[in-house]
Amino acid sequence: MSAIRTLLFSAATITAVAGAAFAQTDWPDQTVNVIIGASPGGDTDFNARTFARYFEQVTGTSMVITNMPGGGATIATTAVRDAAPDGSTILFGHTGHLIVTEVSGLADYGIDDFEICCIPAVDQGAVFVTSAQSGITSVEDLVKRTNDDPDAVIYGTEFGGYSHLQGLLFMNETGADMRLVDTGSAAEKIASLLGGRVHVAGIAYGAVQDYHESGQMVVLGQPNAERNPLLGDIPTFAEQGVDFVMNNPYIIAFPKGTDEAIVERMAEIAAEISDMPEYAADLEQGFRQPVLSYGHEESIELLSTLRDNYMQYRDALQSSR
């Protein structure tokens, strides 16, 4: 995990175009269709809509958000992959949509089949939570229970998706032998936790903050290399002696063959947006997310490293399908 940590935290904000002239293109010259493989209301939808609002402010051109959930985001990624490479359609997704789906076999394509533009934001708001009724209050407690009885702890996830991989990495680093069950989306995970059907889940803190503060859920830790200060006093797993670091970069990608000038121009716009204090305030308010962005070349490097690292879990992910 050290390579990932180095790439993710080498700088607060990295751009591929610092000090460079704007890319020579008239783009955007028409409304841009932004396709996301998630339902309205979640963290991906929030990040896409927040970015779109500032994109229009910077460029004067609007973005239309099209939600295409289902198939582990393959419906959305296929739509963008097959779209005309004219700059009118982009994908706003994350590593679960463009890397984990390939690793798990949900898709027979990946980042190499798109023009990766940039990483406009990184989800650093994920936490692992347990239901209060489970009685699990620490990583040590969780590991002990699974050592005593491998079926004692149930981890709710979405098979073949990002949270599935989170669970596998967590078990690999802690030695916990949890039983994984497919609960579905974040909303369904929350319902399963509150209903006592699962004991543990990886989820965005913004989605469970009220349950945590009311005592209905217990937060075990955050999988960040360093504490996200917007999460308060929640410790990292590294602080607890567990080498579990897993952030989820959001990705802007175009169909393969899109003009390089368009891709570079979007990266420039994303860098400009990331420098806006009001954008930072919106991310903080929405999902306890600090600003962290990457330019064109850095994004490709980071995503390629993540893909290589996740490939070691290919058999485990695919065996669940």
Side-chain angles (χ1 to χ4, degrees):
M1 302 299 289
S2 58
I4 296 174
R5 181 184 294 111
T6 299
L7 282 167
L8 275 170
F9 292 92
S10 59
T13 303
I14 303 175
T15 67
V17 295
F22 282 159
Q24 298 302 305
T25 175
D26 293 330
W27 186 91
D29 55 1
Q30 60 179 313
T31 298
V32 179
N33 184 22
V34 181
I35 296 178
I36 64 174
S39 301
D43 57 304
T44 306
D45 182 74
F46 163 79
N47 274 274
R49 292 181 187 276
T50 302
F51 183 87
R53 190 166 69 253
Y54 286 96
F55 179 89
E56 184 170 357
Q57 181 177 326
V58 169
T59 67
T61 301
S62 62
M63 282 182 159
V64 175
I65 305 297
T66 302
N67 297 88
M68 290 187 178
T74 57
I75 296 173
T77 54
T78 298
V80 175
R81 184 194 60 176
D82 296 342
D86 57 6
S88 64
T89 303
I90 68 169
L91 176 75
F92 194 107
H94 56 66
T95 53
H97 300 162
L98 274 180
I99 296 179
V100 179
T101 51
E102 179 191 7
V103 176
S104 68
L106 286 177
D108 59 0
Y109 54 85
I111 55 175
D112 293 338
D113 299 282
F114 295 82
E115 300 294 348
I116 300 299
C117 172
C118 60
I119 292 171
V122 178
D123 175 16
Q124 297 179 68
V127 293
F128 267 43
V129 297
T130 64
S131 60
Q133 57 192 320
S134 73
I136 300 171
T137 60
S138 67
V139 174
E140 183 180 3
D141 186 24
L142 186 156
V143 174
K144 183 178 184 305
R145 289 199 189 194
T146 63
N147 287 341
D148 293 341
D149 180 1
D151 291 325
V153 179
I154 300 173
Y155 175 82
T157 185
E158 196 167 7
F159 281 163
Y162 186 80
S163 66
H164 186 179
L165 183 58
Q166 278 183 313
L168 293 176
L169 266 70
F170 178 80
M171 290 192 293
N172 183 59
E173 296 298 339
T174 61
D177 189 11
M178 299 185 293
R179 180 156 60 95
L180 277 60
V181 299
D182 196 337
T183 55
S185 68
E188 292 165 320
K189 288 180 198 172
I190 292 172
S192 294
L193 283 163
L194 295 175
R197 294 184 293 277
V198 303
H199 305 115
V200 188
I203 199 164
Y205 182 68
V208 298
Q209 180 176 356
D210 290 344
Y211 300 111
H212 176 223
E213 293 177 347
S214 68
Q216 293 174 276
M217 293 185 186
V218 176
V219 178
L220 297 183
Q222 52 174 296
N224 295 314
E226 299 174 357
R227 283 195 190 192
N228 173 355
L230 302 178
L231 299 184
D233 294 329
I234 297 172
T236 66
F237 287 105
E239 290 177 65
Q240 303 175 67
V242 179
D243 187 17
F244 174 47
V245 177
M246 189 175 179
N247 300 123
N248 194 15
Y250 296 101
I251 305 165
I252 291 177
F254 289 85
K256 196 72 173 178
T258 299
D259 189 333
E260 182 179 353
I262 293 176
V263 177
E264 292 289 355
R265 179 64 185 131
M266 173 62 94
E268 292 168 354
I269 294 167
E272 183 175 349
I273 291 172
S274 71
D275 285 337
M276 301 172 72
E278 55 268 46
Y279 176 68
D282 284 346
L283 294 187
E284 176 179 343
Q285 181 65 30
F287 274 85
R288 300 292 186 269
Q289 187 177 304
V291 173
L292 182 64
S293 65
Y294 292 81
H296 180 52
E297 296 299 331
E298 290 84 1
S299 295
I300 294 172
E301 179 185 2
L302 172 58
L303 295 175
S304 297
T305 299
L306 290 173
R307 181 184 180 275
D308 291 345
N309 183 269
Y310 293 165
M311 273 296 175
Q312 64 183 297
Y313 297 94
R314 184 184 186 98
D315 291 344
L317 283 170
Q318 294 195 6
S319 66
S320 67
R321 297 181 56 226

